[in-house]
Amino acid sequence: ATDVLTAVLGMVGPAMEQQLRQPSSGGGHARIGSCGNQRFPDTLEVTSSPVARSSDRPSSSAGGAALLFSQKKMRSTADSGLVRTEASRVLRRGLAEVSSEGGQQALLRDLASLCRPSLGLEENGGSIVLNRYQLQIVLIELSHLITALGEAGTSGIEDALPVLKVALSHHDHGVRYEASIALQAAARAFPQEGRKTVLSSLDSLMDSWDNLVALADTQESPGEERKEESPTRRRRFRRNKGNASPTTQPSAQMETSLKHQYSVHGHGLAISLLLHELPMSSGGIDMEMLDKIITVAYSLVKCQNNELLAKATPGAVCTCVRSGYGLICAALSTGPQAVSSHIAGFFRLWQNSVKHAEEGMRYFSPSHDLSCLDAMLVSLVSFLKSCSELLLSVPDALNRTTLLLEKVFPLVSPGGRLGTPSENPAAASRLDSAKASVMEAFSWLPPGSYAFAADQVFSFAALHIQELTEEEVCCSILGSLVSSEDKILDAHSFARATSVGQTGGATRLEDTLVSLLSDPAHHSERESVLHALAWKKKNRKESFAMDIFESHILELSDTEEDRTAAPTPLHAVGTWKQPSSPSQASQVRLLDAAIHCFSSTFGMQDGRAQDRASRALGSLLPATLLQSARSLTVTASSLITENEKQKPRSRDEIAAASNISATLLACLQALPLHEASTENFISMGPPWMNRAKDLFFALLPSSVHLVRRAAAEGLSMLATLGVTEDAHTLQSTILHSLDELMKGHLPDGTARKFQLNDEALSSVKAGSLLTLACIQRTAQKMDSDERDRARARSDTQTSEESTDTAPQTMIMITRVLPSCATHSLESDFFYVRAHALHALAVLIAYSLPESQESFSEENLHIVQKAVESVESNFLSAWTAITADFDGGHEGEKFAAEPAFLAVLLRFMTLLLPRLHLIESTDPCIASRFSSMASSIMENSVMHPTVFVEGFSFFERLTVYTNLLSKGRLSVSNTADPAASCMPFIVKAYGTIHPQPLHEHGRLKSYGFTSLMCQRAAVNLLRLLSQRKCGLSVSFIEKAQIHGHLLRLLDTRCGSRHFQHASFYRTISAPRDAERSVGEGDALETEIILALQAIYAFESSTAQDAGASSMHLLHLILMSRVLIAGITRSENDMSSEEESLNPSVIIRRAEDVATLEASLVLSHSSTCRWQVRCHSAKTASSAIHDIARTCRRSFDEKQWKQCPDFHPSAALALLSKECQHAAAAGEKKDDELTTYAALHLQSLVIAACSTAVATSDQAELPSLQRAGLRLLAVLVEHFGDALDPESSSVMDGQSQTVLQHYSSQIASGVRHALTISSSSGGDDISYEGLPQLYAAGCEALQVVARKSIISDVNVLKRFVRNVLPSVSEIHYVTYADARTKESRLRGNLSTSLTDDRSVPLLFLVWKLRALAELRLNAVVELIPQP
């Protein structure tokens, strides 16, 4: 494995460093600095490293054309992030994820050992010395492996923790950053280790800080020339390789200072990350520890007043201040209750930092002041985000916050003291971060609380939108502004996908797209947004998913960020909107914040300012799009030529279109309902609205799908905003312009000077059709909001008299229907037809009445026309491409096929609840829909988007099974929805280990790796089980559904990654990509829920029908194989030629269970501990349910005749059945069933081994607890079963079966009762020990009650294990007569690292176990000890 790791890490070895090294002279990026392990010049402090700005290199967050058509090849250190991403991808996808649990444990140890020589923990004994890039990749993978292994990673953690702690003091910022995240991952799995790390890091941080201050005291005072040295020279305290002169080489004291700065930064960063994690873990974090951290933060931030340290090393002051504010950010993230007592002190620190930034600190350059101010602003944003309630509860907190921001605002504005951009890339990044933080802080303030600064904020935001757009920076928030209902239209075929999100989450393909389309992000930029805690946000559920389609599966495809309730009542006033999570790229983050501030202050401006702003946005429109906006001030004819028409789209078009559409759409969404139609603007609304209309029309032909969706939504809002206040003219103008665009004309109806090419014309038509649908949807939502407000005001008259904002439905449908037609193939664009069908579906969804009783003849006609459109388009979809009609459109047709098929499926899903209205004239329509859905999914090349829509259709079909006619006119094999969709469900989760090539040399379908597709399949299976629709117990067993789901669970557990940090660590990946890879944990939970639902269905079916327990026994036997592993090969399995006897029947049952379990164990002899744990729980539940069924058939007197729990009765009954089958001479042995009692030996052995299970010499408390409970269940139900082969009698009673295994049972129980004291000192502390101890106490009671252990001395030894010691018993003394105080006696834990609830839990279970044993002894259920 080490050789493989070395080969993978060689991708970022010296050869890669040589390629990234800048030329010595010439080139525009020589200022970036040298590469390799050498330290960079031109740095500010140890938390800064040079990074290329996104304007320096071509990359795109909205499309990849700029990469393909870039003429100039550029190199920078920022490119190392892309190389590290690919190397990490090979290590994660190709090695770690496909390894077994044992393989991942070995990989964890190997990675830790590879780091030791590079970190100085051991001498290099022939191992390679990793450079900083290789160390970062190793540390990234360590965090993922620790998360994936969980409890099984204990042994590896012991090797990794020393490495991670030493890496916190490494000279490279990236190494320290990744080591901190790995420690956070370790704290998530082992919280007590995280608390220990916090204390040790606090000590190391304070020692390093003390050494820094002491070193500054002893350092020789510089002369006057040093005081007059330029700021650039003063901050160049790092050494340049080979070019440093004697005057610029750092001294030994400076080298020592740098080491201490590395330690301060690394340990401070680790403590900050651990503070995010520990409050949510078991045991939490002690308030005393939190107060200690805040005290250290005060000391670090106050270094800003230490002139002696600033005189010696200004960068050291910046490092300390930034680390201190990082600790404050983390403390604020714990919530208002924890930090309310420290808010006054925080405000004093903030005011002091602002004062230093205004006046300037001695020995500081403006860049140093900016670095400290940036950290201060980040902490202020963290306060506003996490503790907004304190703005109202703390006196004058809101006013003081506003005053702070108003003081900071002029400093970072253009022309301000700190607002001048620096040539230093690190300083330029800090300036962008500070500006973004200022605008984010304003965004988190309640609306109207900064009225005096609103105009300045608006101008500041508008200026940066213009500047960053000219620098070709693309915003990242556009996807969160548009409705996710239309995302289905972005689907592309695998071979023609150009951006993330078009493949429905196909992991392997999207990884490649992410690498091509992402912006660089350095660790300093990532650290600035570290405390935004984007991983705490959940996905928002759109109303359409539940109200219209009523599909639980469609909710999964929603990717918009959570918009929680307003944090305070002040935020609830107006249209305040929670800001999106900040991007990791500083310029993208600045642009996102500028757009949000611009939109939130747009409504506060007067008409002239709004018009000027809209003109400024129009000036950013690229020439290639101006031909679609005839009414703009600059005409297209003066800016576009024939040569420009032939050029492919470039990054300036992508950036300008994305930013303009996002800005305008955000402004419209921020406006109050029915804004701006006053008496002065009755005809067309305010001038800015008319200009926004022209801009949206200009953006409709954009080749960027997201821009086109945003333009459609913007036009829909303009067409409905203020309609009830006489702006109908604007709506009619928009509708007229859409008609002209559909004809190929300009929006005003004039002919184009240059005709659009096929791609642009297709985009225009598609955008126009989508706009019609958006108008209907937006109008209904606005009407619904208005009615809700009227009800809230109890204004019933206004609610009843409210007018309909949307145009007439039939008028809109008649505009859409011609594009849905299939008879005119000459001008047919496949992508246009997909938009037309989607628009028709949305129009019907948002226009037909909710109540079926109120359907009119017109509504019925609409439904019939919709069904006709679906069927005709389904038939035309399979028409072959012909040269006569499709010449030139072949690529467009292939690319749009997934979107077209997905839209067809969604349209059918929408129509299902309304099909009963036309059932009298067409009773087989639902049957045809089911057949069509199966055909579409079968021929979709497993595209995830198509499969998700198909699963949604079948899920809704299970609710309307009455529509599936079983007559002769129905399509065959469509009466059972479960049978129709089951092959596709198996395909969705049927593959495990990815293989690069198919057996015929072709790539396998990317759909196999889509988490979204797998989630949809699993949820459909769960819903089928809960609704009992089409599934049968025999079908579940034959299809091996349990085996397939458990195999998928095993795979997902091995593919876990640490989700509290971005997955693509070294780049700023698109938001959709991060959300897509973050669905693994949700999939694991849904698999467990599906397994539980299927088991509940099997159990209830067996009990309701009074059937035998053979299916539950099959689950028990399969669980036994998964717990213990496969112990026999296929050669040992039973054959058909064997004679019929009980042993053969028993063996065949075990072979069938082993065959299904082999699906999980196909690549390893044992499965993961999570799967084994679930299997043990399933076996326990199955035994309980079998016992419940038997209790109904056998009373207490006949209980010994129950074959399921008495081996003698089972053996006799099975022998008799074999004899009858042999005498009949017919082959009916498949109908013979075995019984649980005949498999008792293997079950007890498996349960005993699981109760003491370990992995790589590490305890597994969760698995041991499940095994112990299984053992207790076996003893409970089989404890009275007599041994059929034994004739011995003990104390007048026959010997029971389980007494043969008394030693193994006692060993398992004893292990649980003694493990609580097995770990201590420096050993890794296990989680879940109290729960394991509780399971041991319960098992002890069952074992004692069933007399499995008859030796009184052995019972006494067990009782000693549950006897609490004197120190464990806490009691309260009587109140002192003089002081009137009572004291709590006993040894209470004062450790800040221990979970103080653990001793109490142990004590409670000990006392309960003693009480239960004593009561059982009194009533003579157990012998007296």
Side-chain angles (χ1 to χ4, degrees), residues 1001-1077:
R1002 294 183 301 173
L1003 286 174
K1004 281 192 173 183
S1005 172
Y1006 289 103
F1008 284 112
T1009 58
S1010 172
L1011 292 177
M1012 178 62 64
C1013 187
Q1014 292 174 345
R1015 291 185 63 191
V1018 170
N1019 278 273
L1020 175 58
L1021 199 55
R1022 175 179 59 84
L1023 293 170
L1024 288 174
S1025 303
Q1026 292 176 344
R1027 296 170 183 173
K1028 301 181 179 180
C1029 180
L1031 285 181
S1032 63
V1033 175
S1034 59
F1035 178 81
I1036 292 174
E1037 185 175 345
K1038 290 179 181 178
Q1040 298 182 332
I1041 293 178
H1042 284 280
H1044 285 294
L1045 285 176
L1046 289 172
R1047 181 175 64 169
L1048 182 59
L1049 178 62
D1050 187 83
T1051 304
R1052 291 316 316 162
C1053 291
S1055 303
R1056 282 182 181 176
H1057 66 273
F1058 184 58
Q1059 295 193 350
H1060 292 182
S1062 59
F1063 181 77
Y1064 303 99
R1065 303 275 182 88
T1066 58
I1067 55 179
S1068 177
R1071 296 173 186 267
D1072 284 346
E1074 289 289 352
R1075 294 190 192 103
S1076 179
V1077 297

Side-chain angles (χ1 to χ4, degrees), residues 185-304:
R188 181 169 176 80
F190 304 95
Q192 190 162 349
E193 295 305 314
R195 289 186 284 269
K196 292 178 182 178
T197 303
V198 169
L199 291 182
S200 63
S201 292
L202 273 177
D203 295 337
S204 300
L205 188 152
M206 291 306 298
D207 290 342
S208 299
W209 178 71
D210 291 338
N211 293 331
L212 272 177
V213 176
L215 192 63
D217 292 337
T218 58
Q219 189 170 354
E220 183 179 356
S221 176
E224 292 299 325
E225 292 117 1
R226 177 67 179 272
K227 293 182 181 180
E228 299 300 326
E229 197 171 321
S230 65
T232 303
R233 174 67 58 86
R234 278 189 280 118
R235 65 173 177 265
R236 288 186 177 180
F237 53 79
R238 294 184 180 179
R239 184 168 53 201
N240 232 347
K241 181 179 180 182
N243 297 326
S245 62
T247 58
T248 60
Q249 288 183 349
S251 63
Q253 287 184 328
M254 183 59 70
E255 290 284 355
T256 305
S257 175
L258 283 174
K259 293 179 180 179
H260 295 318
Q261 292 180 54
Y262 299 148
S263 179
V264 168
H265 172 253
H267 289 286
L269 183 59
I271 296 171
S272 300
L273 288 172
L274 291 173
L275 269 184
H276 293 162
E277 196 69 46
L278 291 176
M280 301 184 300
S281 62
S282 61
I285 185 169
D286 193 271
M287 287 300 300
E288 184 180 346
M289 181 185 294
L290 182 61
D291 292 340
K292 186 177 181 179
I293 293 172
I294 294 176
T295 302
V296 172
Y298 281 144
S299 302
L300 291 173
V301 174
K302 289 180 180 178
C303 284
Q304 203 167 1

Side-chain angles (χ1 to χ4, degrees), residues 829-843:
F829 292 100
F830 212 60
Y831 197 70
V832 173
R833 201 191 302 176
H835 277 71
L837 286 172
H838 177 73
L840 182 60
V842 172
L843 286 172

Side-chain angles (χ1 to χ4, degrees), residues 27 109 333 360 573 627 700 758 781 1120 1142 1201 1351 1400 1421:
R109 290 193 299 269
S333 68
V573 178
Q627 60 173 327
L700 267 185
D758 290 341
K781 288 184 176 180
R1120 196 272 306 169
Q1201 300 177 7
D1351 190 348
L1400 181 60
L1421 291 178

Side-chain angles (χ1 to χ4, degrees), residues 31 228 315 320 322 543 560 607 626 690 882 1002 1217 1286 1397:
R31 65 182 176 87
E228 299 300 326
C320 293
R322 292 183 66 83
S543 59
E560 297 186 27
L626 279 174
N690 193 31
T882 61
R1002 294 183 301 173
E1217 291 176 353
S1286 176
S1397 64

Side-chain angles (χ1 to χ4, degrees), residues 68 105 160 166 172 270 314 335 338 385 505 815 891 913 924 935 992 1015 1039 1066 1148 1228 1256 1286 1301 1324 1347 1383:
L68 302 177
Q105 290 168 340
V166 173
D172 182 68
K385 179 180 180 180
R815 284 183 163 96
C924 303
S935 300
I992 295 296
R1015 291 185 63 191
T1066 58
R1148 287 181 182 176
K1228 296 183 178 180
D1256 195 22
S1286 176
Y1301 310 100
I1324 301 296
S1347 301
R1383 296 184 179 181

